[in-house]
Amino acid sequence: MARQIEAAPGRRALRARTMTGAQILVEALRREGVEIIFGHPGGASLPIYDALYDAKDIRHILVRHEQVAAHAAVGYARASGRVGVCTATSGPGATNLVTGITDAMMDSIPIVAITGQVPRPVIGNDAFQEADVTGVTMPITKWNHLVLEVGDVAPSVQRAFYLARTGRPGPVLVDLPRDVLQESAVPAFLDGIPVPGYRPVLDGNPRQIAAAAELLATATRPVIYAGGGVISAGASAELTALAERTGIPVTLTLMGKGAMDETHPLCLGMLGMHGSVYANYAVHEADVILAVGVRFDDRVTGRLRDFAPRARFIHIDIDPAEIGKNKPAHIPIVGDASRVLAALASQVRAPQIDGWWAQINTWRRRYPFRYRQGEATVSAQYVCDQLNRITGGEAVVTTDVGQHQMWMAQWYRPRGPRRFISSGGLGVMGFGFPAALGAKFACPESLVVAVVGDGGFQMTMQDLSTAVEYRMALPIIVLNNGALGMVRQWQTFFYRDRRSASILRNPDFARVAEAFGARGIRVERPEQVEPALRSALAVEDGPVVVDIRCDPEENCLPMIPSGQSVAEMIIDE
């Protein structure tokens, strides 16, 4: 029985035509510019799929596990700058999204998760496949909402996209009971998005910006410490302009990789636990640090009291809750990174820091990243170095989590933003391959490469079926050292080499790929690496898995042990 919904004040009725809740959802997604949804259907979400059957302008990508859907939505968002969308049914489908949603929350990535829910009359009755997903995701979403009236479907979707993409980006979730999706109404959309108390500040305080400009101009050992917030704000050009105007060196976090062309002479690359020695030394000895779009993550700071102990801090962030959370800021500036950096660049004078650069370049020459490639065993770092050389830093690279992630972060030098995608805050194994799926759907004309470990790949590799089904030109490089490499390394360094549950008995990944219908290449010797990479990158009609047997004893250095400082850094000399 159709129920007419009158347009409330501030809302516009969408023609005088009734639609089901599911049809209203699809129309709302269409209005937000959604072209792709990653998901897996189930009983509670079937009305959505019935509506999608007629929506020829919105592609649904059927993945084999809901966790993949969430990670793919993240990869899509990070590669494109648009909001990623994923969907799952109620209960286990919804809870399988949780890891991906948490990853998006930790890394400030805009995604919208649409979940089916059991019908309203049985909510709270432990019905089949019922889970309180709004309760579960309350601490890991920017906003979530259980829609209980069909007239609330359209406004809820509008609010979800507005909150996901504005201010500090993040994940939101809209939960839709099956009977709400089946009920009919005349949809009404909001003219504006009223969210009481939510007013992101975009322009920084002029007095604080002036004070920051003066502090930078008088510094003798300044450093810019830039993170993922620069990429989210689209502020790479402003960051580069400020660095070039002042000559101040720039270090990047894992999430900030590519925020500045990493081949630029002013860029010192990544700092932190596995960052370069020279970047960490520069930050440690700095007298002024301009932190922008960062959260002073413990993998960067180590022991907080010893992080840049002699520096005065300028901290720019759009989220006021981040400023002073971990490290007090002498000059806090709340605002959008692109606007604040542009304003700062227009005022600041270049400091006199020739002596500072002489010191930094001395560290650079003495402590470069290094590896040893012998004649018998393949060094994983050699593979990363070769991949950087072949792609020129122009490919979109995704990684899993572990040693290979840090080696890629050390050796891959992206020439711009959105070319290095990894799970930063949550550190999710199984992230790299699904994120590559999402990135490739977002940027089909770009070269997208997944670099994964043998442990992480086995967590989500079932979606090789998805890549084969869509004939995706997607090279997947497995750095196979037969172990959970970073766990093994920590056991070696900190647990007297007692290798408990860190050694893996792996399948032949090349043959696994062929079983899925993909191509497989096996590499066992150093001279096979470059031809195999070039061959995989040249395939245009399907995924290729390159199984590279690597040195199982190779460690990832330099390393600042967890909770310690630059003084305790382990260096490969």
Side-chain angles (χ1 to χ4, degrees):
M1 183 69 178
R3 182 162 65 89
Q4 297 289 331
I5 301 295
E6 297 294 334
R11 299 184 181 188
R12 288 179 287 107
L14 177 69
R15 300 185 291 274
R17 184 167 67 90
T18 58
M19 303 170 72
T20 67
Q23 291 171 328
I24 295 172
L25 167 67
V26 170
E27 176 61 24
L29 295 175
R30 183 178 289 120
R31 286 169 171 241
E32 297 295 337
V34 174
E35 298 175 341
I36 291 179
I37 301 173
F38 302 94
H40 198 292
S45 64
L46 277 181
I48 299 173
Y49 283 82
D50 191 57
L52 285 172
Y53 186 83
D54 296 320
K56 304 306 180 188
D57 53 340
I58 299 178
R59 296 177 71 190
H60 177 274
I61 307 302
L62 174 61
V63 296
R64 274 50 171 179
H65 193 284
E66 293 87 350
Q67 182 177 347
V68 169
H71 289 327
V74 168
Y76 178 93
R78 291 183 62 174
S80 68
R82 302 189 292 271
V83 177
V85 182
C86 56
T87 186
T89 191
S90 63
T95 56
N96 280 343
L97 293 176
V98 167
T99 297
I101 293 172
T102 312
D103 173 77
M105 188 69 177
M106 293 284 281
D107 288 345
S108 304
I109 307 303
I111 68 168
V112 171
I114 307 289
T115 50
Q117 183 54 278
V118 300
R120 285 169 294 182
V122 295
I123 288 178
N125 290 351
D126 295 332
F128 177 67
Q129 290 195 332
E130 181 189 5
D132 176 12
V133 71
T134 53
V136 169
T137 59
M138 184 177 293
I140 56 168
T141 52
K142 198 173 172 183
W143 178 74
N144 69 18
H145 184 56
L146 170 62
V147 179
L148 293 174
E149 299 292 339
V150 66
D152 194 31
V153 173
S156 297
V157 174
Q158 288 180 281
R159 188 173 288 112
F161 277 82
Y162 174 69
L163 289 170
R165 63 164 67 103
T166 58
R168 179 178 182 169
V172 300
L173 181 142
V174 180
D175 196 27
L176 294 153
R178 190 176 69 211
D179 57 327
V180 170
L181 292 167
Q182 293 170 321
E183 197 171 295
S184 296
V186 175
F189 288 84
L190 300 172
D191 287 328
I193 312 294
V195 184
Y198 179 74
R199 297 185 184 83
V201 174
L202 301 180
D203 293 310
N205 182 292
R207 292 186 178 179
Q208 296 294 81
I209 292 174
E214 183 60 27
L215 183 58
L216 287 172
T218 57
T220 57
R221 302 186 306 281
V223 171
I224 297 174
Y225 157 35
V230 175
I231 295 174
S232 296
S236 293
E238 289 79 5
L239 172 67
T240 303
L242 177 67
E244 291 177 343
R245 180 176 174 82
T246 59
I248 297 175
V250 177
T251 65
L252 303 170
T253 68
L254 179 72
M255 289 297 295
K257 276 188 66 67
M260 183 175 183
D261 180 345
E262 294 194 30
T263 65
H264 194 293
L266 294 175
C267 186
L268 304 184
M270 189 176 76
L271 79 164
M273 178 177 281
H274 291 288
S276 67
V277 173
Y278 44 90
N280 281 309
Y281 278 178
V283 169
H284 186 72
E285 296 297 330
D287 65 343
V288 174
I289 288 183
L290 171 62
V292 53
V294 300
R295 58 187 177 86
F296 291 87
D297 164 35
D298 62 292
R299 296 264 288 194
V300 168
T301 65
R303 192 164 50 233
L304 262 176
R305 70 171 183 272
D306 293 327
F307 180 69
R310 290 172 286 280
R312 295 177 65 80
F313 288 89
I314 305 163
H315 191 177
I316 303 168
D317 204 289
I318 198 166
D319 184 354
E322 281 301 329
I323 294 180
K325 186 178 78 176
N326 291 327
K327 195 76 176 178
H330 299 88
I331 302 179
I333 304 176
V334 177
D336 175 82
S338 62
R339 297 194 189 195
V340 175
L341 288 175
L344 192 54
S346 70
Q347 300 179 36
V348 69
R349 306 185 311 279
Q352 300 301 312
I353 53 174
D354 291 347
W356 179 225
W357 267 111
Q359 175 62 73
I360 290 173
N361 286 330
T362 298
W363 289 326
R364 261 180 163 171
R365 288 190 294 272
R366 181 171 179 184
Y367 302 109
F369 288 124
R370 67 184 83 201
Y371 62 86
R372 300 168 185 83
Q373 179 54 72
E375 296 182 355
T377 307
V378 177
S379 160
Q381 298 184 70
Y382 172 67
V383 179
C384 300
D385 189 16
Q386 288 299 312
L387 189 58
N388 180 61
R389 292 173 188 271
I390 292 170
T391 63
E394 295 288 0
V396 177
V397 169
T398 70
T399 80
D400 249 40
V401 168
Q403 283 183 313
H404 74 278
Q405 175 196 34
M406 291 297 117
W407 282 321
M408 278 303 292
Q410 292 175 345
W411 289 98
Y412 190 66
R413 306 173 74 186
R415 302 299 304 273
R418 304 193 183 283
R419 292 181 176 86
F420 186 87
I421 298 172
S422 190
S423 176
L426 193 62
V428 183
M429 290 180 65
F431 171 87
F433 171 49
L437 286 175
K440 188 64 179 177
F441 276 110
C443 306
E445 303 305 318
S446 298
L447 173 61
V448 177
V449 183
V451 179
V452 298
D454 44 322
F457 187 45
Q458 292 183 79
M459 293 185 174
T460 49
M461 69 179 184
Q462 77 284 338
D463 269 83
L464 274 171
S465 292
T466 306
V468 170
E469 179 180 346
Y470 291 96
R471 299 171 61 85
M472 303 187 73
L474 182 59
I476 302 147
I477 314 301
V478 184
L479 297 181
N480 180 0
N481 59 5
L484 301 172
M486 195 61 88
V487 175
R488 194 276 303 156
Q489 177 171 328
W490 281 44
Q491 289 173 337
T492 299
F493 285 4
F494 311 120
Y495 294 88
R496 304 187 306 281
D497 203 23
R498 290 155 56 89
R499 304 185 179 190
S500 179
S502 57
I503 306 303
L504 296 174
R505 179 172 180 172
N506 291 324
D508 183 327
F509 292 110
R511 294 181 65 186
V512 168
E514 291 167 356
F516 275 99
R519 291 176 174 81
I521 301 173
R522 181 166 170 167
V523 172
E524 295 182 323
R525 296 188 57 79
E527 65 271 19
Q528 297 173 318
V529 170
E530 183 177 348
L533 292 178
R534 291 191 181 279
S535 175
L537 268 55
V539 174
E540 297 180 346
D541 60 351
V544 184
V545 174
V546 185
D547 181 1
I548 304 181
R549 307 301 171 97
C550 298
D551 182 353
E553 300 298 325
E554 191 170 26
N555 292 317
C556 185
L557 297 173
M559 178 183 189
I560 300 174
S562 179
Q564 299 188 35
S565 74
V566 170
E568 288 91 26
M569 182 162 41
I570 303 170
I571 300 172
D572 182 18
E573 292 189 276

